[in-house]
Amino acid sequence: MDYTEGTDFKGVDYTVSNIPKGEYDNCSFTGCNFSACDLSGVVLTDCEFTDCNFSNTKVRGTGFKEVFFKDCKMTGLNFSVADPFLIAMHFTDCQLSLTSFYQLKLKKARFTNCNLQEADLTETDFTEAAFTNCDFKHAIFENTVLEKADLRSSINYSIDPQQNRIKKAKFSLPAVTGLIL
């Protein structure tokens, strides 16, 4: 398996030739296209992705360890099949509609200015996560752990306190009306 460290990748179209399987440590990817690519088995550690397209990318067994995404299109991504070991991801200005985080442990994850419309957040552990200016229209919260999570500036969520763990979570008015009592 290849090992790549500290490399900057710019404008690479991985739909033409898939990213080589291997480990990528402390690498940055800018303006790259991963649309419908297969990242299965790739391990990403301390990597940053800026202005990349991940729509419908396959991530079965992919390792995301302290990975930062900024201005990325990630529509329809199924993170639930990624490698859960040491998973840690943070998102800024990302399109995450129709994305699945089913059953992941994303404690302390950071989501800033993200579109999470119709995302599947079922059974996901977002303990101490921060959702700043995120849109959750039609997102699915079922048995989701939001303990100590911060949703004060987020909108359009519909969360049933009977079916989700929200102890010490932070909400604001009038958005708190998204809690179904």
Side-chain angles (χ1 to χ4, degrees):
M1 187 183 294
D2 289 343
Y3 180 79
T4 305
E5 183 177 10
T7 304
D8 295 331
F9 299 91
K10 294 184 180 179
V12 181
D13 186 354
Y14 292 106
T15 63
V16 176
S17 62
N18 231 350
I19 188 169
K21 300 280 188 237
E23 291 187 38
Y24 295 82
D25 191 355
N26 201 27
C27 294
S28 69
F29 298 81
T30 305
C32 296
N33 187 4
F34 296 92
S35 182
C37 287
D38 187 355
L39 296 180
S40 300
V42 171
V43 178
L44 304 162
T45 305
D46 293 318
C47 290
E48 291 185 21
F49 294 87
T50 304
D51 194 28
C52 293
N53 183 358
F54 286 92
S55 295
N56 299 310
T57 299
K58 294 171 187 71
V59 293
R60 180 172 298 283
T62 305
F64 293 98
K65 303 171 184 182
E66 286 302 325
V67 178
F68 294 82
F69 298 95
K70 183 173 181 1
D71 294 313
C72 291
K73 182 178 179 188
M74 308 175 95
T75 305
L77 211 60
N78 185 5
F79 282 116
S80 71
V81 297
D83 182 356
F85 184 67
L86 297 176
I87 192 167
M89 298 182 288
H90 308 281
F91 304 88
T92 302
D93 298 312
C94 289
Q95 172 57 259
L96 293 159
S97 58
L98 300 168
T99 297
S100 176
F101 294 98
Y102 178 70
Q103 290 188 329
L104 290 179
K105 290 189 183 344
L106 294 174
K107 295 180 178 185
K108 298 184 179 182
R110 300 287 174 256
F111 293 80
T112 305
N113 302 322
C114 292
N115 179 341
L116 288 142
Q117 293 182 7
E118 299 183 64
D120 183 359
L121 311 172
T122 304
E123 297 180 28
T124 306
D125 186 347
F126 287 118
T127 300
E128 296 185 63
F131 298 96
T132 307
N133 298 320
C134 293
D135 186 351
F136 289 101
K137 188 174 186 176
H138 301 298
I140 302 166
F141 290 92
E142 191 173 302
N143 295 318
T144 305
V145 179
L146 293 164
E147 294 180 355
K148 299 180 184 176
D150 188 347
L151 289 97
R152 287 180 290 185
S153 59
S154 291
I155 60 170
N156 294 327
Y157 49 80
S158 181
I159 302 168
D160 185 342
Q162 304 296 327
Q163 293 185 9
N164 298 280
R165 293 177 29 203
I166 62 170
K167 186 177 180 181
K168 296 186 179 179
K170 297 173 187 168
F171 301 95
S172 67
L173 287 171
V176 74
T177 57
L179 294 180
I180 302 169
L181 303 174

